[in-house]
Every structure is written in structure tokens, then in C-alpha cells.
């Protein structure tokens, strides 16, 4: 009779060995997750840069057609109640005017530009403008589920304001006015140029109908009806900004964190509204301009900076540590700066 051969049973993992394997896997996952998240954010930032580039190209195509840069917005000071006679200048954002140049020609054709963007009588403008266009107007790094607000995560900055004003400390981080930075010698005074002087103008202007402009505007001899031809951009197309990020609205985001969604306090977000523009008025901290708050200021949810589209169609990322005078030199179109310290 053949003898049976005894085979040894395979050895099993001990509890200690199993715990060691689990710990190693946990460490590998912990090391991998930041890399995955960084890769995802890098992809979102590149997507955001692509959006801004396409917006800039749309604006340049507008300039080719009309021989003037698109306005930041068209606006007026006077109220208008007539339903039979259109206002002297209807309220619209500049985005509405470049709709055909980023594949939104159907929406453009439905808007009656003789009447305000949110007019309901005699037009249906509000129906056509209070809709989410998405696409190149949305930065993917912003929070989701904001489509119901028909938002734009980008805006134009029209000028630098050098007036004695203070941030709204209920919503905005502590800081001060650009005029204070000038007084402290942190921003060049541009030869003592006053508020509304052309030296503080950006290329993307608000075309404003105002029968009684402010006193300082009158003193500067400024006509508020502003449209900019490319030839007026004396500082160079590659050194003058067109659109900048202001992401996350209507949630209020600040350097100190989120203050929650507030569509009343943070209402410069609708792509068709004349209010979705920014004037550079304030800084936060000692001198910071970028990423103080997304209320009418440059702000992104990328790491430590924002994307800016320039008039030559390029898009560059600038860190929040940028010198305030350098940022202003990028905003102004004819400030006479010889170099930008970036």
C-alpha cells in the first residue's frame, strides 16, 4: 500500500503582519492623495486659463469688428420708467456684447440692446439674460451648484479710484484705500494725478451716461462716455489687463475664509449685469491687492494668486504677493510705466 504524503498547510498572515500591511497601504494613500488633488487643481487652473484666453480672444474679435475694445459695461445714472421710449443708454455688461464671439450668437440675437438687460416690458430681456451660459464664464475651481445665479467668474476692471474711502468691515477684510498706499509711498502718485484722471484708466471702461458727472470728473475734464481704441493703450497690449478672476460668487470669500452665500452683499456676479465690473479701490493687510475678497476685487480659489487675461490674448498667473504698484501698472493702459516689477 502506498504511503500518504503529508503536506504542510500554507502559513497564514499573523495579525501583526496584517496590521503592518494595512499601515503601509494607508501611508501610500496619504502620500498619493495630495498629488492627485494637486493634479486636479492644476487641471482646473489650466481650464480656467483657457476660459480667460477665449474671453480675451472674443474681446479682440469684437475690436476687429468695431474698431474699439468692448466696454466693461454700459450704464447710466438716471432712472428710467418709460415702457414706450427706450433709455438714452441701456444697462448691459460687456460680456453681452461679445456673445457672438464665444459661440453664444443665439442668445445675443434674442436680447434687445436698446433696453436694459433685465427689462421685462416691453422686452423679454430678463428671460434671455437670467440663464446660465456656463462654458468659458465659469472657473471650475469655484464651488458647484451656482448655476441658478447665472454667474460669471470673471470681470473687467475699469480704473483705479484714488478717493478717501474705507472697506466695508462687515464683509471685507481689514485694509484701506489705494489713496492711503499712495500717501505711504507704496504706489506711485503718477505725477499727482487726481481721481478720474486718465492715468488711472484701464482699457475696459464703463460707458456711462451721466448728465451731471461728479465734481472731480468735471474738474478732470472727463467725458464719462468712454470707449477705448487699441491705439490708446500706450503701455502695451501685453502689459494691460483685459479680464481677471473674481471667483465663487454669490458666496462671500475672503482671505479669512468664507462668510457664506449672500446674493445681496455679493451681487456683482450676473454675466449680463452692468454691476459685474470692478474698480480698484482697496487693499487688505499691509498692501495686498489680490485674494482679499471676491466682492468686486480680484480673487481666485487657486493657490496664492489669480489668472489675468491681457489685451494681446495671453493669460498669466500672478501671485497675491504682487507689489501693489506693479498690479496697478498692469491695470492702467497709459500710466507711462517703463517696467513692471513682477
Amino acid at each position: 500500500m502506498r504511503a500518504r504524503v503529508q503536506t504542510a498547510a500554507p502559513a497564514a498572515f499573523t495579525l501583526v503582519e496584517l496590521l503592518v500591511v494595512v499601515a503601509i497601504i494607508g501611508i501610500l494613500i496619504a502620500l498619493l492623495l495630495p498629488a492627485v488633488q494637486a493634479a486636479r487643481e492644476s487641471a482646473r487652473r489650466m481650464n480656467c486659463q483657457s476660459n480667460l484666453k477665449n474671453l480675451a480672444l472674443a474681446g479682440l474679435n469684437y475690436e476687429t469688428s468695431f474698431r474699439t475694445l468692448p466696454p466693461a459695461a454700459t450704464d447710466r445714472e438716471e432712472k428710467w420708467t418709460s415702457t414706450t421710449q427706450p433709455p438714452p443708454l441701456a444697462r448691459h455688461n460687456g460680456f453681452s456684447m461679445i456673445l457672438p464671439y464665444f459661440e453664444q450668437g443665439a442668445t445675443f440675437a434674442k436680447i434687445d440692446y436698446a433696453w436694459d438687460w433685465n427689462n421685462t416690458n416691453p422686452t423679454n430681456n430678463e428671460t434671455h439674460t437670467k440663464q446660465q451660459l456656463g462654458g468659458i464664464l465659469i472657473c471650475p475651481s469655484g464651488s458647484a451648484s451656482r448655476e441658478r445665479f447665472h454667474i460669471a467668474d470673471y470681470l473687467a476692471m475699469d480704473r483705479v479710484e484714488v478717493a478717501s474711502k474705507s472697506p466695508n468691515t462687515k464683509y471685507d477684510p481689514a485694509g484701506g484705500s489705494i489713496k492711503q498706499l499712495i500717501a505711504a509711498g507704496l504706489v506711485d502718485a503718477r505725477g499727482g494725478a487726481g481721481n478720474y484722471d486718465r492715468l488711472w484708466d484701464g482699457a475696459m471702461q464703463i460707458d456711462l451716461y451721466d448728465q451731471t458727472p461728479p465734481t472731480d470728473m468735471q474738474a478732470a475734464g472727463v467725458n464719462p462716455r468712454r470707449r477705448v481704441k487699441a491705439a490708446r493703450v500706450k503701455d502695451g497690449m501685453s502689459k494691460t489687463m483685459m479680464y481677471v478672476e473674481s471667483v465663487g460668487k454669490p458666496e462671500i470669500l475672503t482671505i479669512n475664509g468664507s462668510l457664506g452665500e449672500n446674493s445681496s452683499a455679493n451681487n456683482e456676479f450676473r454675466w449680463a449685469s452692468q454691476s459685474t465690473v470692478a474698480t480698484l479701490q482697496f487693499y487688505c493687510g499691509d498692501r495686498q491687492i489680490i485674494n482679499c475678497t471676491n466682492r468686486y476685487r480680484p480673487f481666485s480659489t487657486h493657490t496664492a494668486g489669480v489668472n489675468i487675461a491681457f489685451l494681446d490674448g495671453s493669460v498669466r498667473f500672478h501671485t497675491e504677493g504682487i507689489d501693489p504698484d506693479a498690479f496697478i501698472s498692469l491695470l492702467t493702459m497709459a500710466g507711462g510705466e517703463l517696467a513692471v516689477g513682477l
Side-chain angles (χ1 to χ4, degrees):
M1 177 180 287
R2 184 177 298 177
R4 292 185 179 180
V5 178
Q6 295 289 335
T7 57
F13 279 112
T14 66
L15 179 60
V16 172
E17 290 172 327
L18 181 61
L19 291 175
V20 169
V21 171
V22 170
I24 292 172
I25 293 173
I27 291 171
L28 291 174
I29 292 174
L31 293 173
L32 183 61
L33 279 178
V36 171
Q37 291 171 346
R40 287 176 176 172
E41 170 51 27
S42 178
R44 288 192 290 263
R45 187 170 122 183
M46 290 180 63
N47 190 316
C48 189
Q49 290 174 333
S50 177
N51 290 346
L52 274 168
K53 185 174 185 65
N54 286 326
L55 276 178
L57 293 176
L60 291 174
N61 283 330
Y62 176 99
E63 191 276 336
T64 299
S65 298
F66 295 97
R67 302 302 178 191
T68 181
L69 292 169
T74 57
D75 199 3
R76 67 179 184 281
E77 292 297 328
E78 290 71 22
K79 293 182 179 180
W80 198 258
T81 58
S82 174
T83 59
T84 57
Q85 182 69 27
L89 185 64
R91 291 170 170 164
H92 292 278
N93 193 282
F95 288 139
S96 295
M97 300 173 191
I98 63 173
L99 286 172
Y101 303 103
F102 61 93
E103 299 182 343
Q104 293 291 342
T107 300
F108 177 85
K110 294 175 183 177
I111 299 171
D112 187 340
Y113 286 87
W115 297 86
D116 293 348
W117 70 276
N118 56 351
N119 179 266
T120 58
N121 184 13
T123 75
N124 291 319
N125 278 356
E126 185 176 74
T127 300
H128 304 311
T129 59
K130 285 192 173 181
Q131 57 177 289
Q132 182 55 39
L133 296 184
I136 67 174
L137 294 179
I138 305 297
C139 176
S141 290
S143 59
S145 72
R146 296 177 295 142
E147 291 81 1
R148 68 190 187 279
F149 291 105
H150 37 90
I151 60 171
D153 278 331
Y154 313 107
L155 47 71
M157 301 190 72
D158 70 320
R159 66 184 186 90
V160 180
E161 184 169 276
V162 289
S164 298
K165 293 185 176 181
S166 299
N168 184 337
T169 54
K170 181 177 180 180
Y171 304 109
D172 302 333
S177 68
I178 300 302
K179 190 173 183 178
Q180 288 175 286
L181 292 182
I182 294 172
L186 298 174
V187 169
D188 185 80
R190 274 64 175 174
N195 200 23
Y196 289 109
D197 191 289
R198 292 293 193 186
L199 291 176
W200 300 115
D201 277 358
M204 309 296 285
Q205 287 290 299
I206 297 176
D207 187 1
L208 176 68
Y209 180 83
D210 189 356
Q211 292 179 323
T212 56
T215 302
D216 49 357
M217 183 181 282
Q218 293 176 343
V222 173
N223 181 351
R225 296 301 307 277
R226 300 179 175 188
R227 287 293 183 107
V228 176
K229 295 183 179 295
R232 286 183 52 202
V233 184
K234 302 297 185 183
D235 292 344
M237 303 287 273
S238 66
K239 296 180 181 178
T240 305
M241 68 176 64
M242 196 172 195
Y243 297 114
V244 65
E245 290 184 88
S246 188
V247 173
K249 302 171 184 180
E251 182 181 2
I252 298 177
L253 302 176
T254 77
I255 193 172
N256 300 318
S258 173
L259 300 181
E261 189 175 286
N262 189 329
S263 59
S264 296
N266 202 11
N267 59 6
E268 304 93 355
F269 56 83
R270 298 173 178 86
W271 62 262
S273 171
Q274 82 284 353
S275 297
T276 306
V277 297
T279 297
L280 183 61
Q281 299 174 296
F282 305 116
Y283 68 92
C284 66
D286 294 329
R287 61 176 73 185
Q288 186 170 325
I289 300 293
I290 291 174
N291 284 351
C292 292
T293 173
N294 67 346
R295 287 193 347 117
Y296 54 82
R297 301 197 219 176
F299 191 94
S300 86
T301 49
H302 309 303
T303 303
V306 299
N307 289 310
I308 301 175
F310 291 85
L311 288 173
D312 65 344
S314 65
V315 178
R316 300 195 292 276
F317 186 80
H318 289 277
T319 66
E320 60 192 34
I322 186 174
D323 180 82
D325 195 57
F327 183 86
I328 288 172
S329 73
L330 295 176
L331 196 164
T332 57
M333 65 176 171
E337 300 90 2
L338 296 178
V340 178
L342 301 178

